[in-house]
PDB file of all heavy atoms in Angstrom:
ATOM      1  N   PRO A   1       2.505  12.499   8.983  1.00 95.00           N
ATOM      2  CA  PRO A   1       3.520  12.239  10.019  1.00 95.00           C
ATOM      3  C   PRO A   1       3.082  12.759  11.390  1.00 95.00           C
ATOM      4  O   PRO A   1       3.790  13.523  12.038  1.00 95.00           O
ATOM      5  CB  PRO A   1       4.741  12.989   9.485  1.00 95.00           C
ATOM      6  CG  PRO A   1       4.162  14.154   8.746  1.00 95.00           C
ATOM      7  CD  PRO A   1       2.871  13.650   8.129  1.00 95.00           C
ATOM      8  N   TRP A   2       1.926  12.294  11.830  1.00 95.00           N
ATOM      9  CA  TRP A   2       1.333  12.766  13.077  1.00 95.00           C
ATOM     10  C   TRP A   2       1.584  11.743  14.182  1.00 95.00           C
ATOM     11  O   TRP A   2       0.689  11.000  14.589  1.00 95.00           O
ATOM     12  CB  TRP A   2      -0.169  12.995  12.896  1.00 95.00           C
ATOM     13  CG  TRP A   2      -0.516  14.097  11.949  1.00 95.00           C
ATOM     14  CD1 TRP A   2       0.334  14.953  11.314  1.00 95.00           C
ATOM     15  CD2 TRP A   2      -1.840  14.465  11.516  1.00 95.00           C
ATOM     16  NE1 TRP A   2      -0.355  15.833  10.514  1.00 95.00           N
ATOM     17  CE2 TRP A   2      -1.695  15.557  10.631  1.00 95.00           C
ATOM     18  CE3 TRP A   2      -3.110  13.982  11.793  1.00 95.00           C
ATOM     19  CZ2 TRP A   2      -2.787  16.166  10.014  1.00 95.00           C
ATOM     20  CZ3 TRP A   2      -4.198  14.593  11.195  1.00 95.00           C
ATOM     21  CH2 TRP A   2      -4.043  15.675  10.319  1.00 95.00           C
ATOM     22  N   PHE A   3       2.794  11.696  14.662  1.00 96.00           N
ATOM     23  CA  PHE A   3       3.210  10.651  15.599  1.00 96.00           C
ATOM     24  C   PHE A   3       2.362  10.646  16.869  1.00 96.00           C
ATOM     25  O   PHE A   3       1.823   9.601  17.261  1.00 96.00           O
ATOM     26  CB  PHE A   3       4.691  10.838  15.952  1.00 96.00           C
ATOM     27  CG  PHE A   3       5.611  10.648  14.785  1.00 96.00           C
ATOM     28  CD1 PHE A   3       5.906  11.695  13.915  1.00 96.00           C
ATOM     29  CD2 PHE A   3       6.184   9.416  14.536  1.00 96.00           C
ATOM     30  CE1 PHE A   3       6.742  11.516  12.825  1.00 96.00           C
ATOM     31  CE2 PHE A   3       7.027   9.220  13.453  1.00 96.00           C
ATOM     32  CZ  PHE A   3       7.300  10.280  12.592  1.00 96.00           C
ATOM     33  N   GLU A   4       2.256  11.786  17.522  1.00 94.00           N
ATOM     34  CA  GLU A   4       1.534  11.835  18.795  1.00 94.00           C
ATOM     35  C   GLU A   4       0.055  11.491  18.603  1.00 94.00           C
ATOM     36  O   GLU A   4      -0.553  10.787  19.419  1.00 94.00           O
ATOM     37  CB  GLU A   4       1.683  13.225  19.428  1.00 94.00           C
ATOM     38  CG  GLU A   4       3.092  13.537  19.919  1.00 94.00           C
ATOM     39  CD  GLU A   4       4.067  13.835  18.771  1.00 94.00           C
ATOM     40  OE1 GLU A   4       3.599  14.231  17.680  1.00 94.00           O
ATOM     41  OE2 GLU A   4       5.278  13.660  18.969  1.00 94.00           O
ATOM     42  N   VAL A   5      -0.539  11.981  17.521  1.00 94.00           N
ATOM     43  CA  VAL A   5      -1.958  11.716  17.262  1.00 94.00           C
ATOM     44  C   VAL A   5      -2.210  10.225  17.069  1.00 94.00           C
ATOM     45  O   VAL A   5      -3.127   9.639  17.673  1.00 94.00           O
ATOM     46  CB  VAL A   5      -2.434  12.498  16.014  1.00 94.00           C
ATOM     47  CG1 VAL A   5      -3.802  12.004  15.552  1.00 94.00           C
ATOM     48  CG2 VAL A   5      -2.485  13.991  16.312  1.00 94.00           C
ATOM     49  N   TYR A   6      -1.389   9.596  16.257  1.00 95.00           N
ATOM     50  CA  TYR A   6      -1.646   8.179  15.954  1.00 95.00           C
ATOM     51  C   TYR A   6      -1.246   7.248  17.093  1.00 95.00           C
ATOM     52  O   TYR A   6      -1.848   6.177  17.264  1.00 95.00           O
ATOM     53  CB  TYR A   6      -0.975   7.795  14.638  1.00 95.00           C
ATOM     54  CG  TYR A   6      -1.789   8.266  13.453  1.00 95.00           C
ATOM     55  CD1 TYR A   6      -1.358   9.306  12.634  1.00 95.00           C
ATOM     56  CD2 TYR A   6      -3.018   7.686  13.182  1.00 95.00           C
ATOM     57  CE1 TYR A   6      -2.137   9.744  11.573  1.00 95.00           C
ATOM     58  CE2 TYR A   6      -3.800   8.112  12.116  1.00 95.00           C
ATOM     59  CZ  TYR A   6      -3.346   9.145  11.320  1.00 95.00           C
ATOM     60  OH  TYR A   6      -4.130   9.580  10.270  1.00 95.00           O
ATOM     61  N   TYR A   7      -0.255   7.632  17.883  1.00 95.00           N
ATOM     62  CA  TYR A   7       0.050   6.819  19.062  1.00 95.00           C
ATOM     63  C   TYR A   7      -1.127   6.858  20.044  1.00 95.00           C
ATOM     64  O   TYR A   7      -1.490   5.847  20.647  1.00 95.00           O
ATOM     65  CB  TYR A   7       1.317   7.341  19.753  1.00 95.00           C
ATOM     66  CG  TYR A   7       2.604   6.991  19.034  1.00 95.00           C
ATOM     67  CD1 TYR A   7       3.758   7.743  19.235  1.00 95.00           C
ATOM     68  CD2 TYR A   7       2.676   5.911  18.163  1.00 95.00           C
ATOM     69  CE1 TYR A   7       4.951   7.426  18.595  1.00 95.00           C
ATOM     70  CE2 TYR A   7       3.847   5.583  17.507  1.00 95.00           C
ATOM     71  CZ  TYR A   7       4.993   6.355  17.726  1.00 95.00           C
ATOM     72  OH  TYR A   7       6.159   6.030  17.088  1.00 95.00           O
ATOM     73  N   LYS A   8      -1.720   8.030  20.189  1.00 93.00           N
ATOM     74  CA  LYS A   8      -2.880   8.156  21.073  1.00 93.00           C
ATOM     75  C   LYS A   8      -4.065   7.352  20.529  1.00 93.00           C
ATOM     76  O   LYS A   8      -4.775   6.671  21.281  1.00 93.00           O
ATOM     77  CB  LYS A   8      -3.263   9.631  21.210  1.00 93.00           C
ATOM     78  CG  LYS A   8      -4.420   9.899  22.151  1.00 93.00           C
ATOM     79  CD  LYS A   8      -4.703  11.387  22.261  1.00 93.00           C
ATOM     80  CE  LYS A   8      -5.891  11.646  23.188  1.00 93.00           C
ATOM     81  NZ  LYS A   8      -6.183  13.109  23.307  1.00 93.00           N
ATOM     82  N   LEU A   9      -4.261   7.423  19.216  1.00 94.00           N
ATOM     83  CA  LEU A   9      -5.349   6.667  18.599  1.00 94.00           C
ATOM     84  C   LEU A   9      -5.135   5.159  18.772  1.00 94.00           C
ATOM     85  O   LEU A   9      -6.086   4.402  19.017  1.00 94.00           O
ATOM     86  CB  LEU A   9      -5.447   7.034  17.119  1.00 94.00           C
ATOM     87  CG  LEU A   9      -6.659   6.507  16.345  1.00 94.00           C
ATOM     88  CD1 LEU A   9      -7.947   7.044  16.944  1.00 94.00           C
ATOM     89  CD2 LEU A   9      -6.557   6.910  14.872  1.00 94.00           C
ATOM     90  N   LEU A  10      -3.886   4.706  18.658  1.00 95.00           N
ATOM     91  CA  LEU A  10      -3.578   3.286  18.853  1.00 95.00           C
ATOM     92  C   LEU A  10      -3.901   2.834  20.274  1.00 95.00           C
ATOM     93  O   LEU A  10      -4.382   1.707  20.483  1.00 95.00           O
ATOM     94  CB  LEU A  10      -2.105   3.022  18.545  1.00 95.00           C
ATOM     95  CG  LEU A  10      -1.728   2.972  17.061  1.00 95.00           C
ATOM     96  CD1 LEU A  10      -0.217   3.029  16.887  1.00 95.00           C
ATOM     97  CD2 LEU A  10      -2.294   1.732  16.386  1.00 95.00           C
ATOM     98  N   ASN A  11      -3.644   3.700  21.242  1.00 93.00           N
ATOM     99  CA  ASN A  11      -3.976   3.346  22.629  1.00 93.00           C
ATOM    100  C   ASN A  11      -5.477   3.133  22.791  1.00 93.00           C
ATOM    101  O   ASN A  11      -5.917   2.202  23.469  1.00 93.00           O
ATOM    102  CB  ASN A  11      -3.506   4.450  23.581  1.00 93.00           C
ATOM    103  CG  ASN A  11      -1.996   4.490  23.711  1.00 93.00           C
ATOM    104  OD1 ASN A  11      -1.317   3.512  23.409  1.00 93.00           O
ATOM    105  ND2 ASN A  11      -1.468   5.610  24.171  1.00 93.00           N
ATOM    106  N   THR A  12      -6.255   4.008  22.159  1.00 93.00           N
ATOM    107  CA  THR A  12      -7.714   3.877  22.228  1.00 93.00           C
ATOM    108  C   THR A  12      -8.179   2.581  21.566  1.00 93.00           C
ATOM    109  O   THR A  12      -9.034   1.858  22.101  1.00 93.00           O
ATOM    110  CB  THR A  12      -8.391   5.088  21.560  1.00 93.00           C
ATOM    111  OG1 THR A  12      -7.945   6.297  22.192  1.00 93.00           O
ATOM    112  CG2 THR A  12      -9.895   4.995  21.660  1.00 93.00           C
ATOM    113  N   LEU A  13      -7.623   2.278  20.407  1.00 94.00           N
ATOM    114  CA  LEU A  13      -7.976   1.037  19.709  1.00 94.00           C
ATOM    115  C   LEU A  13      -7.620  -0.179  20.556  1.00 94.00           C
ATOM    116  O   LEU A  13      -8.389  -1.158  20.629  1.00 94.00           O
ATOM    117  CB  LEU A  13      -7.264   0.971  18.356  1.00 94.00           C
ATOM    118  CG  LEU A  13      -7.618   2.030  17.317  1.00 94.00           C
ATOM    119  CD1 LEU A  13      -6.793   1.815  16.048  1.00 94.00           C
ATOM    120  CD2 LEU A  13      -9.105   2.000  16.991  1.00 94.00           C
ATOM    121  N   ALA A  14      -6.452  -0.155  21.189  1.00 93.00           N
ATOM    122  CA  ALA A  14      -6.023  -1.283  22.024  1.00 93.00           C
ATOM    123  C   ALA A  14      -6.971  -1.477  23.210  1.00 93.00           C
ATOM    124  O   ALA A  14      -7.284  -2.621  23.589  1.00 93.00           O
ATOM    125  CB  ALA A  14      -4.598  -1.054  22.522  1.00 93.00           C
ATOM    126  N   ASP A  15      -7.443  -0.369  23.786  1.00 92.00           N
ATOM    127  CA  ASP A  15      -8.397  -0.468  24.896  1.00 92.00           C
ATOM    128  C   ASP A  15      -9.705  -1.111  24.432  1.00 92.00           C
ATOM    129  O   ASP A  15     -10.278  -1.964  25.126  1.00 92.00           O
ATOM    130  CB  ASP A  15      -8.685   0.922  25.470  1.00 92.00           C
ATOM    131  CG  ASP A  15      -7.523   1.454  26.287  1.00 92.00           C
ATOM    132  OD1 ASP A  15      -6.651   0.656  26.679  1.00 92.00           O
ATOM    133  OD2 ASP A  15      -7.476   2.680  26.523  1.00 92.00           O
ATOM    134  N   TYR A  16     -10.192  -0.699  23.265  1.00 92.00           N
ATOM    135  CA  TYR A  16     -11.428  -1.278  22.735  1.00 92.00           C
ATOM    136  C   TYR A  16     -11.273  -2.778  22.502  1.00 92.00           C
ATOM    137  O   TYR A  16     -12.182  -3.573  22.792  1.00 92.00           O
ATOM    138  CB  TYR A  16     -11.823  -0.589  21.432  1.00 92.00           C
ATOM    139  CG  TYR A  16     -12.407   0.792  21.607  1.00 92.00           C
ATOM    140  CD1 TYR A  16     -12.283   1.752  20.607  1.00 92.00           C
ATOM    141  CD2 TYR A  16     -13.108   1.144  22.759  1.00 92.00           C
ATOM    142  CE1 TYR A  16     -12.825   3.027  20.750  1.00 92.00           C
ATOM    143  CE2 TYR A  16     -13.651   2.397  22.926  1.00 92.00           C
ATOM    144  CZ  TYR A  16     -13.506   3.342  21.917  1.00 92.00           C
ATOM    145  OH  TYR A  16     -14.038   4.585  22.069  1.00 92.00           O
ATOM    146  N   LEU A  17     -10.115  -3.167  21.965  1.00 92.00           N
ATOM    147  CA  LEU A  17      -9.890  -4.588  21.703  1.00 92.00           C
ATOM    148  C   LEU A  17      -9.797  -5.373  23.005  1.00 92.00           C
ATOM    149  O   LEU A  17     -10.336  -6.489  23.104  1.00 92.00           O
ATOM    150  CB  LEU A  17      -8.605  -4.762  20.887  1.00 92.00           C
ATOM    151  CG  LEU A  17      -8.690  -4.355  19.410  1.00 92.00           C
ATOM    152  CD1 LEU A  17      -7.314  -4.383  18.780  1.00 92.00           C
ATOM    153  CD2 LEU A  17      -9.640  -5.292  18.660  1.00 92.00           C
ATOM    154  N   ALA A  18      -9.125  -4.801  23.994  1.00 91.00           N
ATOM    155  CA  ALA A  18      -8.990  -5.494  25.278  1.00 91.00           C
ATOM    156  C   ALA A  18     -10.347  -5.698  25.953  1.00 91.00           C
ATOM    157  O   ALA A  18     -10.575  -6.709  26.630  1.00 91.00           O
ATOM    158  CB  ALA A  18      -8.053  -4.711  26.188  1.00 91.00           C
ATOM    159  N   LYS A  19     -11.241  -4.738  25.752  1.00 92.00           N
ATOM    160  CA  LYS A  19     -12.573  -4.808  26.362  1.00 92.00           C
ATOM    161  C   LYS A  19     -13.610  -5.433  25.422  1.00 92.00           C
ATOM    162  O   LYS A  19     -14.795  -5.470  25.747  1.00 92.00           O
ATOM    163  CB  LYS A  19     -13.026  -3.412  26.764  1.00 92.00           C
ATOM    164  CG  LYS A  19     -12.132  -2.759  27.812  1.00 92.00           C
ATOM    165  CD  LYS A  19     -12.540  -1.306  28.070  1.00 92.00           C
ATOM    166  CE  LYS A  19     -11.616  -0.634  29.070  1.00 92.00           C
ATOM    167  NZ  LYS A  19     -11.968   0.793  29.281  1.00 92.00           N
ATOM    168  N   GLU A  20     -13.112  -5.870  24.242  1.00 92.00           N
ATOM    169  CA  GLU A  20     -13.970  -6.496  23.226  1.00 92.00           C
ATOM    170  C   GLU A  20     -15.120  -5.584  22.802  1.00 92.00           C
ATOM    171  O   GLU A  20     -16.243  -6.024  22.561  1.00 92.00           O
ATOM    172  CB  GLU A  20     -14.519  -7.834  23.745  1.00 92.00           C
ATOM    173  CG  GLU A  20     -13.428  -8.844  24.050  1.00 92.00           C
ATOM    174  CD  GLU A  20     -13.982 -10.185  24.492  1.00 92.00           C
ATOM    175  OE1 GLU A  20     -15.216 -10.284  24.703  1.00 92.00           O
ATOM    176  OE2 GLU A  20     -13.193 -11.144  24.612  1.00 92.00           O
ATOM    177  N   GLN A  21     -14.814  -4.303  22.674  1.00 92.00           N
ATOM    178  CA  GLN A  21     -15.805  -3.322  22.226  1.00 92.00           C
ATOM    179  C   GLN A  21     -15.624  -3.084  20.727  1.00 92.00           C
ATOM    180  O   GLN A  21     -15.214  -2.022  20.280  1.00 92.00           O
ATOM    181  CB  GLN A  21     -15.644  -2.008  23.012  1.00 92.00           C
ATOM    182  CG  GLN A  21     -15.907  -2.171  24.496  1.00 92.00           C
ATOM    183  CD  GLN A  21     -15.623  -0.900  25.284  1.00 92.00           C
ATOM    184  OE1 GLN A  21     -14.791  -0.084  24.884  1.00 92.00           O
ATOM    185  NE2 GLN A  21     -16.314  -0.722  26.411  1.00 92.00           N
ATOM    186  N   GLU A  22     -15.938  -4.100  19.950  1.00 91.00           N
ATOM    187  CA  GLU A  22     -15.701  -4.053  18.508  1.00 91.00           C
ATOM    188  C   GLU A  22     -16.552  -2.989  17.815  1.00 91.00           C
ATOM    189  O   GLU A  22     -16.103  -2.353  16.857  1.00 91.00           O
ATOM    190  CB  GLU A  22     -15.980  -5.425  17.897  1.00 91.00           C
ATOM    191  CG  GLU A  22     -15.028  -6.503  18.366  1.00 91.00           C
ATOM    192  CD  GLU A  22     -15.281  -7.828  17.665  1.00 91.00           C
ATOM    193  OE1 GLU A  22     -16.078  -7.827  16.695  1.00 91.00           O
ATOM    194  OE2 GLU A  22     -14.692  -8.844  18.072  1.00 91.00           O
ATOM    195  N   GLU A  23     -17.761  -2.780  18.308  1.00 92.00           N
ATOM    196  CA  GLU A  23     -18.627  -1.780  17.682  1.00 92.00           C
ATOM    197  C   GLU A  23     -18.045  -0.373  17.845  1.00 92.00           C
ATOM    198  O   GLU A  23     -18.020   0.409  16.891  1.00 92.00           O
ATOM    199  CB  GLU A  23     -20.028  -1.837  18.289  1.00 92.00           C
ATOM    200  CG  GLU A  23     -21.026  -0.909  17.599  1.00 92.00           C
ATOM    201  CD  GLU A  23     -22.427  -1.065  18.134  1.00 92.00           C
ATOM    202  OE1 GLU A  23     -22.711  -2.098  18.785  1.00 92.00           O
ATOM    203  OE2 GLU A  23     -23.260  -0.159  17.902  1.00 92.00           O
ATOM    204  N   ASP A  24     -17.559  -0.072  19.043  1.00 91.00           N
ATOM    205  CA  ASP A  24     -16.933   1.232  19.278  1.00 91.00           C
ATOM    206  C   ASP A  24     -15.677   1.387  18.421  1.00 91.00           C
ATOM    207  O   ASP A  24     -15.406   2.466  17.875  1.00 91.00           O
ATOM    208  CB  ASP A  24     -16.566   1.390  20.756  1.00 91.00           C
ATOM    209  CG  ASP A  24     -17.804   1.524  21.633  1.00 91.00           C
ATOM    210  OD1 ASP A  24     -18.848   1.973  21.106  1.00 91.00           O
ATOM    211  OD2 ASP A  24     -17.735   1.182  22.820  1.00 91.00           O
ATOM    212  N   LEU A  25     -14.914   0.325  18.311  1.00 93.00           N
ATOM    213  CA  LEU A  25     -13.690   0.356  17.505  1.00 93.00           C
ATOM    214  C   LEU A  25     -14.014   0.662  16.041  1.00 93.00           C
ATOM    215  O   LEU A  25     -13.387   1.520  15.419  1.00 93.00           O
ATOM    216  CB  LEU A  25     -12.952  -0.972  17.635  1.00 93.00           C
ATOM    217  CG  LEU A  25     -11.619  -1.108  16.895  1.00 93.00           C
ATOM    218  CD1 LEU A  25     -10.649  -1.971  17.693  1.00 93.00           C
ATOM    219  CD2 LEU A  25     -11.833  -1.734  15.514  1.00 93.00           C
ATOM    220  N   ASN A  26     -14.989  -0.042  15.495  1.00 93.00           N
ATOM    221  CA  ASN A  26     -15.352   0.161  14.089  1.00 93.00           C
ATOM    222  C   ASN A  26     -15.922   1.554  13.842  1.00 93.00           C
ATOM    223  O   ASN A  26     -15.650   2.173  12.809  1.00 93.00           O
ATOM    224  CB  ASN A  26     -16.352  -0.906  13.642  1.00 93.00           C
ATOM    225  CG  ASN A  26     -15.714  -2.275  13.496  1.00 93.00           C
ATOM    226  OD1 ASN A  26     -14.551  -2.382  13.126  1.00 93.00           O
ATOM    227  ND2 ASN A  26     -16.469  -3.327  13.804  1.00 93.00           N
ATOM    228  N   ASP A  27     -16.718   2.050  14.793  1.00 93.00           N
ATOM    229  CA  ASP A  27     -17.280   3.398  14.645  1.00 93.00           C
ATOM    230  C   ASP A  27     -16.177   4.449  14.622  1.00 93.00           C
ATOM    231  O   ASP A  27     -16.199   5.382  13.814  1.00 93.00           O
ATOM    232  CB  ASP A  27     -18.253   3.692  15.794  1.00 93.00           C
ATOM    233  CG  ASP A  27     -19.565   2.933  15.657  1.00 93.00           C
ATOM    234  OD1 ASP A  27     -19.834   2.405  14.551  1.00 93.00           O
ATOM    235  OD2 ASP A  27     -20.315   2.855  16.652  1.00 93.00           O
ATOM    236  N   LEU A  28     -15.196   4.294  15.514  1.00 93.00           N
ATOM    237  CA  LEU A  28     -14.096   5.261  15.564  1.00 93.00           C
ATOM    238  C   LEU A  28     -13.309   5.255  14.252  1.00 93.00           C
ATOM    239  O   LEU A  28     -13.001   6.302  13.682  1.00 93.00           O
ATOM    240  CB  LEU A  28     -13.180   4.940  16.745  1.00 93.00           C
ATOM    241  CG  LEU A  28     -12.034   5.932  17.013  1.00 93.00           C
ATOM    242  CD1 LEU A  28     -11.724   5.997  18.496  1.00 93.00           C
ATOM    243  CD2 LEU A  28     -10.776   5.519  16.263  1.00 93.00           C
ATOM    244  N   LEU A  29     -12.973   4.067  13.774  1.00 95.00           N
ATOM    245  CA  LEU A  29     -12.204   3.962  12.531  1.00 95.00           C
ATOM    246  C   LEU A  29     -13.009   4.493  11.344  1.00 95.00           C
ATOM    247  O   LEU A  29     -12.459   5.171  10.458  1.00 95.00           O
ATOM    248  CB  LEU A  29     -11.789   2.516  12.293  1.00 95.00           C
ATOM    249  CG  LEU A  29     -10.723   1.963  13.247  1.00 95.00           C
ATOM    250  CD1 LEU A  29     -10.462   0.490  12.926  1.00 95.00           C
ATOM    251  CD2 LEU A  29      -9.430   2.762  13.140  1.00 95.00           C
ATOM    252  N   GLU A  30     -14.285   4.203  11.320  1.00 94.00           N
ATOM    253  CA  GLU A  30     -15.130   4.684  10.221  1.00 94.00           C
ATOM    254  C   GLU A  30     -15.193   6.207  10.224  1.00 94.00           C
ATOM    255  O   GLU A  30     -15.089   6.842   9.165  1.00 94.00           O
ATOM    256  CB  GLU A  30     -16.533   4.098  10.359  1.00 94.00           C
ATOM    257  CG  GLU A  30     -17.442   4.383   9.173  1.00 94.00           C
ATOM    258  CD  GLU A  30     -16.995   3.679   7.906  1.00 94.00           C
ATOM    259  OE1 GLU A  30     -16.758   2.465   7.943  1.00 94.00           O
ATOM    260  OE2 GLU A  30     -16.873   4.374   6.862  1.00 94.00           O
ATOM    261  N   ASN A  31     -15.344   6.805  11.398  1.00 93.00           N
ATOM    262  CA  ASN A  31     -15.406   8.267  11.502  1.00 93.00           C
ATOM    263  C   ASN A  31     -14.110   8.918  11.035  1.00 93.00           C
ATOM    264  O   ASN A  31     -14.120   9.916  10.314  1.00 93.00           O
ATOM    265  CB  ASN A  31     -15.700   8.690  12.947  1.00 93.00           C
ATOM    266  CG  ASN A  31     -17.116   8.381  13.357  1.00 93.00           C
ATOM    267  OD1 ASN A  31     -17.999   8.203  12.508  1.00 93.00           O
ATOM    268  ND2 ASN A  31     -17.357   8.292  14.663  1.00 93.00           N
ATOM    269  N   TRP A  32     -12.993   8.336  11.453  1.00 94.00           N
ATOM    270  CA  TRP A  32     -11.704   8.934  11.100  1.00 94.00           C
ATOM    271  C   TRP A  32     -11.358   8.702   9.630  1.00 94.00           C
ATOM    272  O   TRP A  32     -10.818   9.583   8.959  1.00 94.00           O
ATOM    273  CB  TRP A  32     -10.612   8.368  12.010  1.00 94.00           C
ATOM    274  CG  TRP A  32      -9.256   8.993  11.878  1.00 94.00           C
ATOM    275  CD1 TRP A  32      -8.061   8.342  11.806  1.00 94.00           C
ATOM    276  CD2 TRP A  32      -8.922  10.387  11.834  1.00 94.00           C
ATOM    277  NE1 TRP A  32      -7.022   9.230  11.713  1.00 94.00           N
ATOM    278  CE2 TRP A  32      -7.526  10.505  11.723  1.00 94.00           C
ATOM    279  CE3 TRP A  32      -9.687  11.561  11.854  1.00 94.00           C
ATOM    280  CZ2 TRP A  32      -6.862  11.727  11.648  1.00 94.00           C
ATOM    281  CZ3 TRP A  32      -9.030  12.794  11.778  1.00 94.00           C
ATOM    282  CH2 TRP A  32      -7.648  12.874  11.678  1.00 94.00           C
ATOM    283  N   TYR A  33     -11.676   7.536   9.124  1.00 94.00           N
ATOM    284  CA  TYR A  33     -11.357   7.205   7.732  1.00 94.00           C
ATOM    285  C   TYR A  33     -12.158   8.079   6.762  1.00 94.00           C
ATOM    286  O   TYR A  33     -11.647   8.478   5.709  1.00 94.00           O
ATOM    287  CB  TYR A  33     -11.663   5.728   7.475  1.00 94.00           C
ATOM    288  CG  TYR A  33     -11.219   5.224   6.118  1.00 94.00           C
ATOM    289  CD1 TYR A  33      -9.863   5.081   5.822  1.00 94.00           C
ATOM    290  CD2 TYR A  33     -12.145   4.886   5.131  1.00 94.00           C
ATOM    291  CE1 TYR A  33      -9.446   4.617   4.580  1.00 94.00           C
ATOM    292  CE2 TYR A  33     -11.743   4.421   3.890  1.00 94.00           C
ATOM    293  CZ  TYR A  33     -10.387   4.289   3.616  1.00 94.00           C
ATOM    294  OH  TYR A  33      -9.983   3.830   2.394  1.00 94.00           O
ATOM    295  N   SER A  34     -13.390   8.366   7.096  1.00 93.00           N
ATOM    296  CA  SER A  34     -14.253   9.169   6.219  1.00 93.00           C
ATOM    297  C   SER A  34     -14.077  10.664   6.439  1.00 93.00           C
ATOM    298  O   SER A  34     -14.615  11.473   5.675  1.00 93.00           O
ATOM    299  CB  SER A  34     -15.726   8.794   6.434  1.00 93.00           C
ATOM    300  OG  SER A  34     -16.114   9.032   7.774  1.00 93.00           O
ATOM    301  N   HIS A  35     -13.345  11.030   7.467  1.00 93.00           N
ATOM    302  CA  HIS A  35     -13.139  12.445   7.779  1.00 93.00           C
ATOM    303  C   HIS A  35     -12.188  13.064   6.750  1.00 93.00           C
ATOM    304  O   HIS A  35     -11.129  12.507   6.469  1.00 93.00           O
ATOM    305  CB  HIS A  35     -12.550  12.587   9.188  1.00 93.00           C
ATOM    306  CG  HIS A  35     -12.659  13.962   9.770  1.00 93.00           C
ATOM    307  ND1 HIS A  35     -11.978  15.049   9.264  1.00 93.00           N
ATOM    308  CD2 HIS A  35     -13.382  14.432  10.823  1.00 93.00           C
ATOM    309  CE1 HIS A  35     -12.264  16.117   9.977  1.00 93.00           C
ATOM    310  NE2 HIS A  35     -13.110  15.774  10.926  1.00 93.00           N
ATOM    311  N   PRO A  36     -12.534  14.211   6.170  1.00 93.00           N
ATOM    312  CA  PRO A  36     -11.588  14.889   5.271  1.00 93.00           C
ATOM    313  C   PRO A  36     -10.291  15.200   6.012  1.00 93.00           C
ATOM    314  O   PRO A  36     -10.315  15.465   7.226  1.00 93.00           O
ATOM    315  CB  PRO A  36     -12.325  16.178   4.885  1.00 93.00           C
ATOM    316  CG  PRO A  36     -13.765  15.902   5.156  1.00 93.00           C
ATOM    317  CD  PRO A  36     -13.807  14.955   6.315  1.00 93.00           C
ATOM    318  N   VAL A  37      -9.176  15.150   5.302  1.00 94.00           N
ATOM    319  CA  VAL A  37      -7.891  15.437   5.953  1.00 94.00           C
ATOM    320  C   VAL A  37      -7.926  16.861   6.495  1.00 94.00           C
ATOM    321  O   VAL A  37      -8.063  17.820   5.732  1.00 94.00           O
ATOM    322  CB  VAL A  37      -6.724  15.270   4.969  1.00 94.00           C
ATOM    323  CG1 VAL A  37      -5.406  15.633   5.647  1.00 94.00           C
ATOM    324  CG2 VAL A  37      -6.677  13.841   4.435  1.00 94.00           C
TER     325      VAL A  37
END
């Protein structure tokens, strides 16, 4: 239930999509998904 953290992360993802930076987007998601809680 990390509202502020995930809202901030969503803003970053939206910026990557707007700028068509798919590689940066995938790297960020991969890093966070594989990160231990």
Side-chain angles (χ1 to χ4, degrees):
W2 294 355
F3 295 86
E4 291 74 23
V5 168
Y6 281 110
Y7 285 157
K8 182 178 179 180
L9 189 61
L10 283 167
N11 289 340
T12 303
L13 296 179
D15 286 343
Y16 285 152
L17 286 172
K19 298 174 182 177
E20 298 183 352
Q21 297 175 332
E22 295 184 9
E23 185 175 342
D24 291 335
L25 182 145
N26 288 327
D27 287 345
L28 185 148
L29 290 177
E30 188 67 51
N31 289 340
W32 187 225
Y33 187 70
S34 60
H35 197 293
V37 177

